[in-house]
Amino acid sequence: MAESTLLLLVAGIIAIGVLAQILADRLQVPAIVFYIVAGLVLGQPGLDIVTEDTFGGALSTVVGFAVAIIVFEGAFHLKIERIKAAPQAALRLVTVGAVIALAGTALAVRLVFGVSWNLSLVIGSLLVATGPTVVTPILSIVPVRDRVATALEFEGIVNDVTAAILAVVFFQTVLPETAGNDIVRGFVTRLGIGLLFGVVVAGAVYYLLRYVDLSPGDAPRNARLLVLAGALVAFAAANFEATEAGVAAAATAGFLLGNADVPYEAEIEAFKGDLTLLVLAFVFIGLAALLEPAALVEVGVGGLVVVAAIALVIRPVLVFLSTAGDRFTRQERTFMSLVGPRGIIPASVATLFAVQLQNANLVREANVLLGTVFLAILLTAVFEGGLARHLARYLNVIPMRVIIVGGGRVGRSLAERLENRGENVVILEEDESTAQAARNAGYTAIIGDGTDTEVLREAGADNAKTVVAATGDDDANLLVAQLSSSKFDVENVIARANNPDNVDAFEDLGVRTISSSMATAWAIDNQIERPAIAHWMTDVGQSGDVQEVEVTSEKIAGKPVREVGPMLPDACLIALVGKGDYTTAEVPGPDYVIELGDHVTLLGQREAVREGMKLVDPD
């Protein structure tokens, strides 16, 4: 192909990738769906513009550097603080979960296609990887709880590394000339080389970022380029020493630098994010275009059976086992089960393996390998990526955040009750030891001053439905409340008044206020006069629940309570109805007509209340 034509084609692919990203943001669908569709249209299944001869032998090199950038960027964003939000589940997903995925996929391939166990294990290894290339775009448009996002991101990054190395090691047992190699030794060697190169490069980049005399005007730019060079050098050097060790090197370097105190971190993150979007577009469009229809025809219905087993059986089993006993709700575990798309690592490595198998006259094995892997990538990326937001909404796992400023006893007790009711809680605490204690207890905690606008924004105030100022300092609580209302337009702002004399001053400024002393008096009074309801309210979120929801359903609007009541689940009652003003709620009689915009308080068993909320507000 002429140089000018190739240049035009590359520019066109990048332009399509950018347009796909814009369209994805507009439609709230992961961009990977449009990348794959564009690749299929440009490739042999479609217009045949991009073929195997288009890039010659350069495609594998381009893909390699793209993988380095993508894996490094994903690991750079994976902070230790976020990993602590779901430590047990994250570790089990990349150990127990990875083993289940490997064994289950290999068994499915063996039973369906009758190929050797060695090749089955190669395919199983490749399809262990979910990867940041597909998970991150999904999470960018599906803002699930931090513990869910962290577990999925951690799984993707770590499994990318283990999948690539395991696949290379198992592949050596398929080729006759390398069939006698030691599997365990090969895996440990490649992982060790990757870790070593990653640590060395991260240390060198860290030193250069902090101590090299960078001119003030060029410092941010030089920092960005230095980190990019480090990612590529780590990947290439480790790969030169051992095949596919570069993935581990890039992930290690990214993780270490992302968790180090490096200068210009925000500029580096923004630069790497934009660069990743471009290489993602190029790689996915290019690889999708190079998919040979013959490989898909070879696997046929059997390939669909294998992919269905991976997505609908193996994935749910490994997720439910890995998250057992953790803080994940049943809906969150179901969402994680249905969102495990495969990404760029399986595609790039499978393409390399297929060429080697064809050179060894193992044509059927090459087609089974390439067809199964690409079919899994296409179907899981398109269907799971395209449906992810709808699944999340159906399963109710996209809650707006509740930010609690103050991680002391009051803040943590409130966080526990809210999380038990399914809220997405973030604790913002200035004291590092207090914040660490909250993290150790399994909560998402950010260290910072809640009276700082940027810290509130980092905690998610832009997407918060409630901010609670619960520190021991009334001045700080008042400032937090005012910032939340004026700067972020938070719907529900509540402040704790430690001194009862400050309550009137708080409320004069429009801040809903809870007096610590009055709250204690109310609790004691309830225990004296209403012990049964007091005990029941104490356990709200465990067996029972009380929730207030705005009426948006046409099914119940305009109907009296006597007609709405039978429409609710048996263990759910309408306790109060208000006209949007919290001070005018009343216990409705049977003839009370419920209208759109009313605020209905539902009381009853936890699951019954949740079903009742869907009836009152389907969204």
Coordinates of all heavy atoms in Angstrom, one line a residue, residues 144-205:
V144 N -21.2 3.0 39.1 CA -21.6 2.1 40.2 C -20.8 2.5 41.5 O -20.0 3.4 41.5 CB -21.3 0.7 39.8 CG1 -22.2 0.2 38.7 CG2 -19.8 0.5 39.4
R145 N -21.2 1.8 42.5 CA -20.5 2.1 43.8 C -19.0 1.8 43.7 O -18.6 1.0 42.9 CB -21.1 1.2 44.9 CG -22.5 1.6 45.3 CD -23.1 0.7 46.4 NE -24.4 1.1 46.8 CZ -25.5 0.7 46.2 NH1 -25.4 -0.2 45.2 NH2 -26.7 1.1 46.5
D146 N -18.3 2.6 44.5 CA -16.8 2.5 44.4 C -16.3 1.1 44.6 O -15.3 0.6 44.0 CB -16.2 3.4 45.5 CG -16.3 4.9 45.1 OD1 -16.6 5.1 43.9 OD2 -16.0 5.7 45.9
R147 N -16.9 0.3 45.6 CA -16.4 -1.0 45.8 C -16.6 -1.9 44.6 O -15.8 -2.8 44.4 CB -17.1 -1.6 47.1 CG -18.6 -1.7 47.0 CD -19.2 -2.5 48.2 NE -20.6 -2.5 48.2 CZ -21.4 -1.8 48.9 NH1 -20.9 -0.9 49.8 NH2 -22.7 -1.9 48.9
V148 N -17.7 -1.7 43.8 CA -17.9 -2.5 42.6 C -16.9 -2.1 41.6 O -16.3 -3.0 40.9 CB -19.3 -2.3 42.1 CG1 -19.5 -3.1 40.8 CG2 -20.3 -2.8 43.2
A149 N -16.7 -0.8 41.3 CA -15.8 -0.3 40.3 C -14.4 -0.8 40.6 O -13.6 -1.2 39.7 CB -15.9 1.2 40.2
T150 N -14.0 -0.7 41.9 CA -12.6 -1.0 42.3 C -12.4 -2.5 42.0 O -11.3 -2.9 41.5 CB -12.4 -0.7 43.8 OG1 -12.5 0.7 44.0 CG2 -11.0 -1.1 44.2
A151 N -13.3 -3.4 42.4 CA -13.1 -4.8 42.2 C -13.0 -5.1 40.7 O -12.1 -5.9 40.4 CB -14.3 -5.6 42.9
L152 N -13.8 -4.5 39.9 CA -13.8 -4.8 38.5 C -12.5 -4.3 37.8 O -11.9 -4.9 37.0 CB -15.0 -4.2 37.8 CG -16.4 -4.9 38.1 CD1 -17.5 -4.1 37.4 CD2 -16.4 -6.3 37.6
E153 N -12.1 -3.1 38.2 CA -10.8 -2.5 37.7 C -9.6 -3.3 38.1 O -8.7 -3.6 37.3 CB -10.7 -1.1 38.1 CG -11.7 -0.1 37.4 CD -11.6 1.3 37.9 OE1 -11.0 1.5 39.0 OE2 -12.1 2.2 37.2
F154 N -9.6 -3.7 39.4 CA -8.5 -4.5 39.9 C -8.4 -5.8 39.2 O -7.3 -6.3 38.8 CB -8.6 -4.7 41.4 CG -7.5 -5.4 42.1 CD1 -6.3 -4.7 42.3 CD2 -7.6 -6.7 42.4 CE1 -5.2 -5.4 42.9 CE2 -6.5 -7.4 43.0 CZ -5.3 -6.7 43.3
E155 N -9.6 -6.5 39.0 CA -9.6 -7.7 38.3 C -9.1 -7.6 36.9 O -8.3 -8.4 36.4 CB -11.1 -8.2 38.3 CG -11.2 -9.6 37.5 CD -12.7 -9.8 37.2 OE1 -13.5 -8.9 37.2 OE2 -13.0 -11.0 37.0
G156 N -9.5 -6.5 36.2 CA -9.1 -6.4 34.8 C -7.6 -6.2 34.7 O -7.0 -6.8 33.8
I157 N -7.0 -5.4 35.5 CA -5.6 -5.1 35.4 C -4.8 -6.3 35.7 O -3.9 -6.7 35.0 CB -5.2 -3.9 36.2 CG1 -5.9 -2.6 35.7 CG2 -3.7 -3.7 36.3 CD1 -5.8 -1.4 36.6
V158 N -5.1 -6.9 36.8 CA -4.3 -8.1 37.3 C -4.5 -9.3 36.3 O -3.5 -9.9 35.9 CB -4.6 -8.5 38.7 CG1 -3.9 -9.7 39.1 CG2 -4.2 -7.3 39.7
N159 N -5.7 -9.5 35.9 CA -6.0 -10.6 35.0 C -5.4 -10.4 33.6 O -5.1 -11.4 33.0 CB -7.4 -10.9 35.0 CG -7.9 -11.7 36.2 OD1 -7.1 -12.1 37.0 ND2 -9.2 -11.9 36.3
D160 N -5.2 -9.2 33.2 CA -4.6 -8.9 31.9 C -3.1 -9.5 32.0 O -2.6 -10.1 31.0 CB -4.5 -7.4 31.7 CG -5.5 -7.0 30.6 OD1 -6.3 -7.9 30.1 OD2 -5.5 -5.9 30.2
V161 N -2.5 -9.2 33.1 CA -1.1 -9.7 33.3 C -1.0 -11.2 33.3 O -0.3 -11.9 32.6 CB -0.5 -9.1 34.6 CG1 0.9 -9.6 34.8 CG2 -0.4 -7.6 34.4
T162 N -1.8 -11.8 34.2 CA -1.7 -13.3 34.4 C -2.2 -14.0 33.2 O -1.6 -15.1 32.8 CB -2.6 -13.7 35.6 OG1 -3.9 -13.2 35.5 CG2 -2.0 -13.1 36.9
A163 N -3.2 -13.5 32.5 CA -3.7 -14.1 31.3 C -2.7 -14.2 30.2 O -2.5 -15.2 29.5 CB -5.0 -13.4 30.8
A164 N -2.0 -13.1 30.0 CA -1.0 -13.0 28.9 C 0.1 -14.0 29.2 O 0.5 -14.7 28.3 CB -0.5 -11.6 28.7
I165 N 0.6 -14.0 30.4 CA 1.7 -14.8 30.7 C 1.3 -16.3 30.7 O 2.0 -17.1 30.1 CB 2.3 -14.4 32.1 CG1 2.9 -13.0 32.0 CG2 3.4 -15.4 32.5 CD1 3.4 -12.5 33.3
L166 N 0.2 -16.6 31.3 CA -0.3 -18.0 31.3 C -0.5 -18.5 29.9 O -0.1 -19.7 29.6 CB -1.6 -18.1 32.1 CG -1.5 -18.3 33.6 CD1 -2.9 -18.2 34.2 CD2 -0.8 -19.6 34.0
A167 N -1.0 -17.7 29.0 CA -1.3 -18.1 27.7 C 0.0 -18.4 26.9 O 0.1 -19.4 26.2 CB -2.1 -17.0 26.9
V168 N 1.0 -17.6 27.1 CA 2.3 -17.9 26.5 C 2.9 -19.2 27.0 O 3.4 -20.0 26.2 CB 3.3 -16.7 26.7 CG1 4.7 -17.1 26.3 CG2 2.8 -15.5 26.0
V169 N 2.8 -19.4 28.3 CA 3.4 -20.6 28.9 C 2.7 -21.8 28.4 O 3.3 -22.8 27.9 CB 3.4 -20.5 30.4 CG1 3.8 -21.8 31.0 CG2 4.3 -19.4 30.9
F170 N 1.3 -21.8 28.4 CA 0.6 -23.0 27.9 C 0.7 -23.2 26.4 O 0.7 -24.3 25.9 CB -0.9 -22.8 28.2 CG -1.3 -23.1 29.6 CD1 -1.9 -22.2 30.5 CD2 -1.0 -24.4 30.2 CE1 -2.2 -22.5 31.8 CE2 -1.3 -24.7 31.5 CZ -1.9 -23.8 32.3
F171 N 0.9 -22.1 25.7 CA 1.1 -22.2 24.2 C 2.3 -23.0 23.8 O 2.4 -23.6 22.8 CB 1.1 -20.8 23.6 CG 1.1 -20.8 22.1 CD1 0.0 -21.3 21.4 CD2 2.2 -20.5 21.4 CE1 0.0 -21.3 20.0 CE2 2.2 -20.5 20.0 CZ 1.1 -20.9 19.3
Q172 N 3.3 -22.9 24.7 CA 4.6 -23.6 24.4 C 4.4 -25.1 24.4 O 5.1 -25.8 23.8 CB 5.7 -23.2 25.4 CG 6.1 -21.7 25.2 CD 7.2 -21.4 26.2 OE1 7.5 -22.1 27.2 NE2 7.9 -20.3 26.0
T173 N 3.3 -25.6 25.1 CA 3.1 -27.0 25.2 C 2.3 -27.5 23.9 O 2.2 -28.7 23.7 CB 2.2 -27.4 26.4 OG1 0.9 -26.8 26.3 CG2 2.9 -26.8 27.7
V174 N 1.8 -26.5 23.1 CA 1.0 -26.9 21.9 C 2.0 -27.1 20.8 O 1.8 -28.0 20.0 CB 0.0 -25.7 21.6 CG1 -0.7 -26.1 20.2 CG2 -1.0 -25.6 22.7
L175 N 3.0 -26.2 20.6 CA 4.0 -26.4 19.5 C 5.0 -27.5 19.8 O 5.5 -27.6 20.9 CB 4.8 -25.1 19.4 CG 3.9 -23.8 19.0 CD1 4.8 -22.6 18.9 CD2 3.2 -24.1 17.6
P176 N 5.2 -28.4 18.9 CA 6.1 -29.5 19.1 C 7.5 -29.2 19.6 O 8.0 -29.9 20.5 CB 6.1 -30.2 17.7 CG 4.9 -29.7 17.0 CD 4.6 -28.3 17.5
E177 N 8.1 -28.1 19.1 CA 9.4 -27.8 19.4 C 9.6 -27.3 20.8 O 10.7 -27.3 21.4 CB 10.0 -26.8 18.4 CG 9.3 -25.4 18.4 CD 8.2 -25.4 17.4 OE1 7.7 -26.5 17.0 OE2 7.8 -24.3 17.0
T178 N 8.5 -26.8 21.5 CA 8.6 -26.3 22.9 C 7.8 -27.1 23.8 O 7.5 -26.6 24.9 CB 8.2 -24.8 22.9 OG1 6.9 -24.7 22.3 CG2 9.2 -24.0 22.1
A179 N 7.3 -28.2 23.4 CA 6.3 -29.0 24.2 C 6.8 -29.4 25.6 O 6.1 -29.6 26.5 CB 5.8 -30.2 23.5
G180 N 8.1 -29.6 25.8 CA 8.7 -30.1 27.0 C 9.0 -29.0 28.0 O 9.5 -29.4 29.1
N181 N 8.7 -27.8 27.8 CA 9.1 -26.7 28.7 C 8.3 -26.8 30.0 O 7.1 -27.2 30.1 CB 8.8 -25.3 28.1 CG 9.8 -25.1 27.0 OD1 10.7 -25.9 26.7 ND2 9.7 -23.9 26.3
D182 N 8.9 -26.3 31.1 CA 8.3 -26.4 32.4 C 7.3 -25.2 32.5 O 7.7 -24.0 32.4 CB 9.4 -26.2 33.5 CG 8.9 -26.4 34.9 OD1 7.7 -26.1 35.1 OD2 9.7 -26.8 35.8
I183 N 6.0 -25.5 32.8 CA 5.0 -24.5 32.8 C 5.1 -23.6 34.0 O 5.1 -22.3 33.8 CB 3.6 -25.2 32.8 CG1 3.3 -26.0 31.5 CG2 2.5 -24.2 33.1 CD1 2.0 -26.7 31.5
V184 N 5.3 -24.1 35.1 CA 5.4 -23.3 36.4 C 6.6 -22.4 36.3 O 6.6 -21.2 36.6 CB 5.5 -24.2 37.6 CG1 5.7 -23.3 38.8 CG2 4.2 -25.0 37.8
R185 N 7.7 -22.9 35.8 CA 9.0 -22.1 35.7 C 8.8 -21.0 34.7 O 9.2 -19.9 34.9 CB 10.1 -23.0 35.3 CG 11.5 -22.3 35.2 CD 12.6 -23.2 34.9 NE 13.8 -22.5 34.7 CZ 15.0 -23.1 34.4 NH1 15.0 -24.4 34.1 NH2 16.1 -22.4 34.3
G186 N 8.1 -21.3 33.6 CA 7.9 -20.3 32.6 C 7.1 -19.2 33.1 O 7.3 -18.0 32.8
F187 N 6.0 -19.5 33.8 CA 5.1 -18.5 34.4 C 5.9 -17.6 35.4 O 5.8 -16.3 35.3 CB 3.9 -19.1 35.0 CG 3.0 -18.1 35.7 CD1 2.1 -17.4 34.9 CD2 3.0 -17.9 37.0 CE1 1.2 -16.5 35.5 CE2 2.2 -16.9 37.6 CZ 1.3 -16.2 36.9
V188 N 6.6 -18.2 36.3 CA 7.3 -17.5 37.4 C 8.4 -16.6 36.8 O 8.6 -15.4 37.2 CB 7.8 -18.4 38.4 CG1 8.7 -17.7 39.4 CG2 6.7 -19.1 39.2
T189 N 9.1 -17.1 35.8 CA 10.1 -16.4 35.2 C 9.6 -15.1 34.5 O 10.1 -14.0 34.7 CB 10.9 -17.3 34.1 OG1 11.4 -18.4 34.8 CG2 12.0 -16.5 33.4
R190 N 8.6 -15.3 33.7 CA 8.0 -14.1 33.0 C 7.4 -13.1 33.9 O 7.6 -11.9 33.7 CB 7.0 -14.6 32.0 CG 7.6 -15.2 30.7 CD 6.5 -15.8 29.8 NE 7.1 -16.1 28.5 CZ 7.8 -17.2 28.3 NH1 8.1 -18.0 29.3 NH2 8.3 -17.4 27.1
L191 N 6.7 -13.6 34.9 CA 6.2 -12.6 35.9 C 7.3 -11.9 36.7 O 7.2 -10.7 36.9 CB 5.3 -13.4 36.9 CG 4.6 -12.6 38.0 CD1 3.7 -11.5 37.3 CD2 3.8 -13.4 38.9
G192 N 8.3 -12.6 37.1 CA 9.4 -12.0 37.8 C 10.1 -11.0 36.9 O 10.5 -9.9 37.4
I193 N 10.4 -11.3 35.6 CA 11.0 -10.3 34.8 C 10.1 -9.1 34.6 O 10.7 -8.0 34.7 CB 11.3 -11.0 33.4 CG1 12.4 -12.1 33.5 CG2 11.7 -9.9 32.3 CD1 12.6 -12.9 32.3
G194 N 8.8 -9.3 34.4 CA 8.0 -8.1 34.3 C 8.0 -7.3 35.5 O 8.0 -6.0 35.5
L195 N 7.9 -7.9 36.7 CA 7.9 -7.1 38.0 C 9.2 -6.4 38.1 O 9.2 -5.2 38.5 CB 7.7 -8.1 39.2 CG 6.3 -8.7 39.3 CD1 6.2 -9.7 40.4 CD2 5.2 -7.7 39.5
L196 N 10.3 -7.0 37.8 CA 11.6 -6.4 38.0 C 11.8 -5.2 37.1 O 12.2 -4.1 37.5 CB 12.7 -7.4 37.6 CG 14.2 -6.9 37.7 CD1 14.5 -6.4 39.1 CD2 15.2 -8.0 37.2
F197 N 11.4 -5.3 35.8 CA 11.6 -4.2 34.9 C 10.6 -3.1 35.3 O 10.9 -1.9 35.2 CB 11.3 -4.7 33.4 CG 12.5 -5.2 32.8 CD1 12.8 -6.6 32.9 CD2 13.4 -4.4 32.1 CE1 13.9 -7.1 32.2 CE2 14.5 -4.9 31.4 CZ 14.8 -6.3 31.5
G198 N 9.4 -3.5 35.7 CA 8.4 -2.5 36.1 C 8.9 -1.6 37.3 O 8.8 -0.4 37.3
V199 N 9.5 -2.3 38.3 CA 10.0 -1.6 39.5 C 11.2 -0.7 39.1 O 11.3 0.4 39.6 CB 10.4 -2.7 40.6 CG1 11.2 -2.0 41.7 CG2 9.2 -3.4 41.1
V200 N 12.1 -1.2 38.3 CA 13.3 -0.5 37.9 C 12.9 0.8 37.2 O 13.4 1.9 37.4 CB 14.3 -1.3 37.1 CG1 15.4 -0.5 36.5 CG2 14.9 -2.4 38.0
V201 N 12.0 0.6 36.2 CA 11.6 1.8 35.4 C 10.8 2.8 36.2 O 11.0 4.0 36.1 CB 10.8 1.3 34.2 CG1 10.1 2.5 33.5 CG2 11.6 0.6 33.2
A202 N 9.9 2.3 37.1 CA 9.2 3.2 38.0 C 10.1 4.0 38.9 O 9.9 5.2 39.0 CB 8.2 2.4 38.8
G203 N 11.1 3.3 39.4 CA 12.1 4.0 40.2 C 12.8 5.1 39.5 O 13.1 6.2 40.0
A204 N 13.3 4.8 38.3 CA 14.0 5.7 37.4 C 13.1 6.9 37.1 O 13.6 8.1 37.2 CB 14.5 5.0 36.2
V205 N 11.9 6.7 36.7 CA 11.0 7.8 36.3 C 10.7 8.6 37.5 O 10.7 9.9 37.4 CB 9.7 7.2 35.7 CG1 8.7 8.3 35.5 CG2 10.0 6.5 34.3

